[in-house]
Amino acid sequence: MKRLTTLLTATAVAAAMTMAPVSAMAQAEQYAPVLSYRTGPYAPNGIPVANGTVDYLKLVNAKGGINGVKFRIEECEFAYDTTKGIECYERMKGQHGGAAIVQSISTGVTNALLKKAPEDKISLIIAGYGTPAAADGRVFKWVFPMIPNYFVAADVMMQAIGDKAGGLDKLKGKKIDYVYMDAPFGHEFMPVFDAYAAKYGFTLGKLPVTAPGLDQKSTWLQVRRDQPDYVLYVGYGVMNPTALKEAQSVGYPREKMYAFWWAGSESDVKGVEEAAKGYNAAALQASANRDAKVIKDVQETLYAKGQGTAEDPKTVGDVLYVRGLITGMLTAETVRIAQEKFGKGKPITGEQAQWALEHFELTPQRIEELGFTGILQPLKTTCSQHMGSYAARMSVWDGKEWKINSDWYEGNREIIDPLIKQFADKYAADNKIEPRQCAD
């Protein structure tokens, strides 16, 4: 399909800056930098997210933009390499009137920007990734883990295992292994898993896997020796199908594996479709969806005219494509909310984006207007609460497709909120940040 965005490598952005004309037309555009990874070991996950993100912004443009302001969409390829991701950010942040919002789709890049973005007055949206402590707006004024964070993912994974066992109290004396990528995001889940282990009396084994995760034989041989009742799993990219192959090779039942939402897409079971049958994964509210109005709008407005981003139109509606649509929507809605406050028909600044993100609300009516009914739950942020929702669901691979197989879970705030505060307070102390006073 036709790619209508500017695609830049990290090293090409500087040259593009010197060629970008300053014009009245440019001033009427909202710059939308898209950090993407279409190459490297994480490309199978990065490509559909980038496609969905770009397509949603194209869809908004096709409908006239936000009060007439259209997005200037520009990708920067960083191959899921943190150093290259920061280079993309540094080179793109001041282009075309300046970036107001950045979404890196990378915990490593996000962690590296936690100090830099506030200095640059750029708002970071981290939908379903990044440091869970950023839900505390008192400390993280410029960072917004919109929709649930990793603490919610970990909590919902544990609730689902509890349901499978007949109740969390039935986990006492059980053995659960945690297989995870030895990277920043893999470590973000441990506080919740540790809290559940202490509260419900099960043994938690921790089995790190070196990125990118192609060599896991020793890990799964250890799983076979442990014979755990359940396996919690957090991996990414090529690590995921590798894990499923190894689980099959040691005879570990996939229906006893519970993964997080970045390990529960079509890419993650590619080549092991039948072997992965029964494999469970938390859903970032949405799994695959081809019936939602926004999906039909994209098909009719973009792909029917040869203007879609994905090379294969059949991937429109896949799990990670839908996640990309959510990413694009969060950017667009932030711009809309900011314009309502600071003036319609004008590009917004990072400071205006920050205000909008602290006054962000998706009501059922607005979700329906956007075409996301069946994909998202309502959410509302405040000065102190930057996440906006604790809702998530579970999905299961049936051998052919991902299907939602649970009602909505609500993250256990008695476990999650104290952990958010604990880690936010530590970050504030370590970085000499005075937490804001929020009236909410």
Side-chain angles (χ1 to χ4, degrees), residues 126-147:
I126 53 174
Y129 60 95
T131 175
D136 190 337
R138 298 173 310 119
V139 176
F140 295 90
K141 178 180 177 180
W142 295 86
V143 189
F144 296 83
M146 309 285 284
I147 319 180

Side-chain angles (χ1 to χ4, degrees), residues 52-318:
T53 302
V54 172
D55 276 350
Y56 188 83
L57 297 176
K58 285 182 180 178
L59 179 65
V60 172
N61 284 351
K63 293 183 176 183
I66 308 293
N67 297 309
V69 177
K70 294 187 177 183
F71 288 100
R72 182 180 184 124
I73 310 163
E74 192 167 84
E75 286 191 50
C76 185
E77 169 64 39
F78 73 103
Y80 203 73
D81 179 289
T82 296
T83 300
K84 292 179 180 178
I86 299 307
E87 186 178 350
C88 279
Y89 169 85
E90 289 292 348
R91 293 183 183 277
M92 299 177 82
K93 67 183 182 183
Q95 287 188 259
H96 312 303
I101 303 160
V102 167
Q103 302 191 59
S104 69
I105 321 296
S106 162
T107 295
V109 173
T110 296
N111 289 347
L113 293 178
L114 289 178
K115 296 179 184 178
K116 185 61 178 173
E119 295 173 358
D120 296 330
K121 298 189 184 307
I122 293 174
S123 294
L124 300 179
I125 299 177
I126 53 174
Y129 60 95
T131 175
D136 190 337
R138 298 173 310 119
V139 176
F140 295 90
K141 178 180 177 180
W142 295 86
V143 189
F144 296 83
M146 309 285 284
I147 319 180
N149 61 19
Y150 283 157
F151 283 171
V152 174
D155 185 89
V156 167
M157 290 159 70
M158 285 307 313
Q159 288 191 53
I161 286 177
D163 286 347
K164 179 78 170 181
L168 287 165
D169 59 307
K170 299 296 193 298
L171 295 180
K172 186 174 183 179
K174 301 288 188 182
K175 170 77 173 180
I176 297 178
D177 275 354
Y178 175 37
V179 177
Y180 64 98
M181 181 177 282
D182 195 7
F185 73 90
H187 293 265
E188 299 286 6
F189 290 72
M190 287 185 190
V192 174
F193 294 154
D194 286 339
Y196 267 89
K199 184 173 183 177
Y200 292 103
F202 60 85
T203 301
L204 182 66
K206 298 175 181 178
L207 304 176
V209 175
T210 302
L214 289 171
D215 183 6
Q216 299 182 48
K217 290 190 180 300
S218 61
T219 300
W220 289 95
L221 287 173
Q222 184 62 51
V223 169
R224 185 167 67 183
R225 286 191 290 269
D226 290 348
Q227 296 186 357
D229 296 281
Y230 301 97
V231 165
L232 293 160
Y233 177 79
V234 170
Y236 197 43
V238 295
M239 177 174 168
N240 298 336
T242 302
L244 289 164
K245 290 175 185 176
E246 295 296 343
Q248 181 188 31
S249 71
V250 300
Y252 192 80
R254 269 65 74 202
E255 62 269 20
K256 291 187 176 183
M257 293 176 63
Y258 287 76
F260 81 140
W261 42 60
W262 294 104
S265 74
E266 291 82 4
S267 300
D268 300 313
V269 296
K270 189 172 183 179
V272 288
E273 289 86 353
E274 188 60 31
K277 190 174 182 179
Y279 170 59
N280 304 280
L284 186 59
Q285 299 216 359
S287 187
N289 191 313
R290 288 175 172 76
D291 299 318
K293 182 178 180 296
V294 66
I295 300 295
K296 296 177 180 177
D297 283 351
V298 166
Q299 291 281 20
E300 294 170 2
T301 306
L302 300 180
Y303 286 86
K305 300 175 183 178
Q307 296 176 356
T309 307
E311 293 184 3
D312 183 0
K314 293 179 181 178
T315 62
V316 174
D318 282 357

Side-chain angles (χ1 to χ4, degrees), residues 73 338 351 426:
I73 310 163
E351 291 171 295
K426 184 179 186 305

